[in-house]
Amino acid sequence: MIKVESLTKQYAGFTAVDDVTFTARPGRVTGFLGPNGAGKSTTMRIMVGLTPASSGYAEVSGRRFADLPNPGLEVGVLLDASAQHAGRTGREILTIAQRTMGLPAGRVGEMLDRVSLTDDEADRRVRNYSLGMRQRLGIATALLGDPDVLILDEPANGLDPAGIRWMRDLLRGYADRGGTVLLSSHLLHEIEVIADDLVVIGQGRIVAQGTKAELLATAGTLVRTPDVHQLAQALTSAGVSFTPSAATGSQDALRVDADPGVVGRVALDAGVHLVELRAADGAGLEEMFLELTADTQRETLTEGAAA
Amino acid sequence: MTATTLESAVEEVARPVRPTPARIPMSRIVSVELRKSFDTRSGFWLMASIGILAVVATGATILFAPDDALTYGNFAAAVGFPMAIVLPMVAILSITSEWSQRTGLTSFTLVPHRGRVLAGKALVAVLVGVVSMLLAGLIGALGNVIGTSINGVDPTWNISALEFGYIILGNLLGMAVGFMLGVLIRNSPGAIVAYFVYSLVLPTVTTVLAETQEWFADKQPWVDFNYAQGPLFDGDISGQQWAQLGVTGLFWLVIPLSIGLWSVLRSEVK
Ligand SMILES: Nc1ncnc2c1ncn2[C@@H]1O[C@H](COP(=O)(O)OP(=O)(O)OP(=O)(O)O)[C@@H](O)[C@H]1O
Ligand SMILES: [Mg+2]
């Protein structure tokens, strides 16, 4: 279990993590989402004691990370797979971790098998590793001590499709056996498939959290029209709330907090011509993500329709 | 969508509770750190260079020194010169590579107390320093035996165990300076350059200053750390000179080292 309580991190007048509180539970995969620079990596670094928090705290398995007697056996951490000595071989890097944790030497070979690095590859220097091979090595290091908790920052980064599938099954299996998995990722499809719970962060603040089912079941109607502006006005005067939607990838859609029937009525009365009208449930994670983080996005995808 | 709704939706899956693992012992940290100083090509050759340079320096002394200069003291001086450069590099790189190569991300999460990792590195540095000096002393002694027998003169053993102990201490101080610059600068090229400024440029400046400024000449032993270390290498150090070593060491080593350790403990590793 991971518990994060009112965590705040300030850098010279800039707040990278702002009062973040959430819990990642055993038996669940918790997806940690947010746009670039939202503060995911910073939050994870604070959890494992690499970055001091300005205020608030994080606990892993009921203790502060620094109070874990042998953290590798309780928490598997992968923050940045390229943060390795380029001159060491993959096998040597695992051996150092294995010795630090006090595990039997045979564990290194088991882990190399587990992440599908061949003996030949394991004896190459990390300098000559591909991105995906580094990622596999980082995952092997995290899994080495058979920990109860995994903290993984973009673990799927650089993995090939088979690797991503493998990763998904691995994390699912881990959680099903009672482990706690916290992972950040930009691969929303992956998160959607694997995560049970979601924590969405934007500009250092949590913008949404809950189970995936809850968050994605946000009811409402998706409506598409070439005349967004006029429909928006009609909806406003009808007292129905709505948000611009990025579901179609362009700026001609709104997500309305009302049944399709109501929206159709409003459109008819206003004489707005619709090209699509449907219940918005089943809206994907991508749409949810873009909507929730719209204010904090770099690219203002839904600009214009916001009127 | 708060933590409460999340809580209600979760069915707990129990994982067998495992006993709390034992704390990582210091001996293990030391052995891992020792391994880390050998397990890269650059680390390996840096260590190997200690032996290689000692042999080269000894060989050069046999070849080029005049017969009457074939004393153990001269062999020791020849062998000691490369030691005084290589050993501090070992200390510097053991610290800075955690930052320059970013291995600290793993090291400081596997052992979540940076002080313990640094203590392990310090112990390894002392171990490497003492063993290297003994090895260098041995190579120099072999050179003395071989050199004098080739040239048909009697070997002279003009360094006592105590004097040799002082020389080892002097070299350990050099490593401590490297360690200090490592924790203070935390960047390999930066710390290496700083070490050469500290140990080569600074003494030149103070020497010139002492030669030209009388007021400085009197005070030099009390303010110049490099100068105060001189007696250790000359094999004779008086009570007053120990005091001078202590005072200069406080300012040039202990205080900056404390600042460096303090900043390592509270800095961000990324
Ligand atoms: N030492 C620092 N000084 C100033 N700002 C910093 C520092 N470290 C991080 N930041 C800022 O904190 C913010 C959060 O960065 P972080 O790496 O946590 O983002 P992220 O959510 O992991 O992004 P990404 O998805 O791109 O990995 C960024 O704006 C970053 O520039
Ligand atoms: Mg990041």
Side-chain angles (χ1 to χ4, degrees), chain A residues 201-213:
Chain A
I201 181 176
Q203 288 184 350
R205 291 173 167 276
I206 291 196
V207 293
Q209 63 174 315
T211 64
K212 181 178 61 182

Side-chain angles (χ1 to χ4, degrees), chain B residues 74-94:
Chain B
N74 284 337
F75 277 100
V79 172
F81 183 69
M83 293 301 119
I85 292 172
V86 176
L87 289 178
M89 295 300 120
V90 172
I92 288 174
L93 293 173
S94 83

Side-chain angles (χ1 to χ4, degrees), chain A residues 40-41 153-154:
Chain A
K40 303 178 294 294
S41 301
D153 197 359
E154 303 189 33

